[in-house]
Amino acid sequence: MKLVSDMDSINIVGAIVVKCLSFLNFHFSIYLFIQVMNITLRQLDAFLAVTRTLSFSKAADLVHLSQPALSANIRRLEETIGARLFDRDTRTVALSPIGIEFAAVAASLMENVDSGLAHIQRFVSGERGTLALAVAPSLAGSFLPAAIAAFRKERPGVELTLYDVLADNAVEMVRNRSVDLALTAWRDDADDLVQQEVMIDDLVVLCSASHPLASKRSIDWDDLRNTGHIAKKGGSGVRHIIDEAYLQRGEVFRPAFEVDNVGTMLGLILAGLGCGVFPRSSTVSFNLNGLAVKPFTRAVRPRRRICTVTLRGRSLNASTAHFSELCRKHADRHSRRR
C-alpha cells in the first residue's frame, strides 16, 4: 500500500514505543527508547522477516529486497541497538538473547503501526471522523433531514454536529473554521469561499386565507409595498434578497413586524397582520391551515441558489465531500416532488 511505502523511511514515533516498553527490562527499555528514533520501518520489517524464516535469503524474498540490502538493514538496526540480534554462521541463523527480547518489541511496534495506519485510512475514506455543519434554518423542512438520515446510515462512524444558524453566521463559521461545511444561499462577497450549487429555490408569499392578496393569482413587489410585511431580522438569505429588491427600486425595506422566529412570523400572518416571504422548499413543513401560498409573477420571480459552502484552500475530508453529494442528490429529489 502506498501509504506504507511512503512512511518506510520515516523514524518510528516515540509515543508508539511507550506502549511497548512493558516487553523489556527497565535498563534496556530506556536505552531502546533513546535510540529507537533512528530505527525505520524497513529495518523492522527486515528483522521480523528473518525471525520468521531464520534465513537471510528467504527473508530477502519475503520483503522484496536483495540479500545485501536486507543484510545492510539488519546491520544498521544492530548498530542502533548496540547488540547482535542474530547468531549466524554459513549454515544456520538463530536469534540471539537480545534478538529474542527485541522480537516481541518489533512485532508490537509493527502491529501498532499497522493498526494506526488502518485507523487513519478509515478517516481518509470517511468511514470515521467528524463533520460539523452550519445550515440555514429554512432548510430544515426541505431536503436536509433526508440527506442527514442517509449520511448517518451510510457513515455511522462519523460524528455529525449540526448548527442551525442564519446565513451570515453560517458563512462566518466556515471562515473561522468552526464548521467544515455550510448550506446556505449563494453570496457575492465570497472570493475566499468555494460555493457549489445544490438547488434553486423559488420564494413565495404567505398570507392569511382572508387577506386581500389571497385572491391574487401571483404577487409582485408593489403588492407587498401596500400591505404590512412580516420579516425575520437581518442575516437570513431571504432577508438579503428582500433588502436588495427594495434597494433596486430606490427604497429601504421597512417591515411592519421584524421577528426572530418563523413560528412568530406564521402566527402574525395567520392573524391577518401582514404577509411574509418564504422559500418554497420550507413551506412543506408548515401547517398551512388558514394560510394561502402565492407565487411571485414571472417578471419578478425572486429565487435563491442553495449552495454548499467551504473555505477555499482548506483540505476537505471524505465525509464533507460525501455529504455534499448527498445534499445534491436529495435536493434534486425534493425539487421533483414539489
Side-chain angles (χ1 to χ4, degrees), residues 174 177 190-195 309-316:
V174 170
R177 298 175 181 258
D191 291 342
D192 60 329
L193 304 174
V194 177
Q195 302 181 92
V309 182
T310 55
L311 187 62
R312 189 176 301 279
R314 181 179 182 180
S315 298
L316 301 182

Side-chain angles (χ1 to χ4, degrees), residues 44-65:
L44 286 180
D45 202 25
F47 169 77
L48 290 173
V50 178
T51 64
R52 288 194 295 270
T53 62
L54 295 179
S55 165
F56 273 59
S57 60
K58 292 179 180 178
D61 292 338
L62 197 62
V63 296
H64 308 293
L65 289 174

Side-chain angles (χ1 to χ4, degrees), residues 20 52 54 115-116 206 277 326:
C20 307
R52 288 194 295 270
L54 295 179
S115 176
L206 262 64
V277 176
L326 284 175

Side-chain angles (χ1 to χ4, degrees), residues 73-185:
N73 275 283
I74 297 298
R75 184 172 62 256
R76 285 192 291 269
L77 181 60
E78 290 176 329
E79 290 171 355
T80 298
I81 293 175
R84 181 184 292 274
L85 297 174
F86 295 100
D87 294 326
R88 51 193 182 272
D89 55 31
T90 56
R91 290 182 296 179
T92 61
V93 176
L95 283 164
S96 70
I98 296 297
I100 293 172
E101 193 79 8
F102 184 67
V105 176
S108 182
L109 284 170
M110 292 301 289
E111 182 180 345
N112 274 277
V113 169
D114 290 342
S115 176
L117 290 176
H119 180 74
I120 291 299
Q121 280 300 111
R122 288 192 290 272
F123 278 83
V124 171
S125 67
E127 295 176 21
R128 295 186 60 84
T130 60
L131 178 61
L133 308 172
V135 300
S138 59
L139 294 174
S142 58
F143 65 87
L144 183 63
I148 291 175
F151 182 82
R152 291 289 296 272
K153 182 178 180 180
E154 295 177 16
R155 304 291 171 93
V158 177
E159 181 181 346
L160 183 64
T161 304
L162 180 66
Y163 300 91
D164 59 332
V165 294
L166 295 179
D168 287 353
N169 295 335
V171 170
E172 184 57 31
M173 292 180 79
V174 170
R175 284 175 167 149
N176 64 30
R177 298 175 181 258
S178 298
V179 297
D180 302 296
L181 175 78
L183 276 166
T184 188

Side-chain angles (χ1 to χ4, degrees), residues 315-336:
S315 298
L316 301 182
N317 57 40
S319 296
T320 302
H322 183 64
F323 185 80
S324 297
E325 183 57 36
L326 284 175
C327 285
R328 282 185 281 273
K329 176 181 177 181
H330 287 277
D332 182 61
R333 290 179 181 175
H334 182 83
S335 297
R336 289 201 300 268

Side-chain angles (χ1 to χ4, degrees), residues 46 69 145 156 301:
R301 201 180 184 185

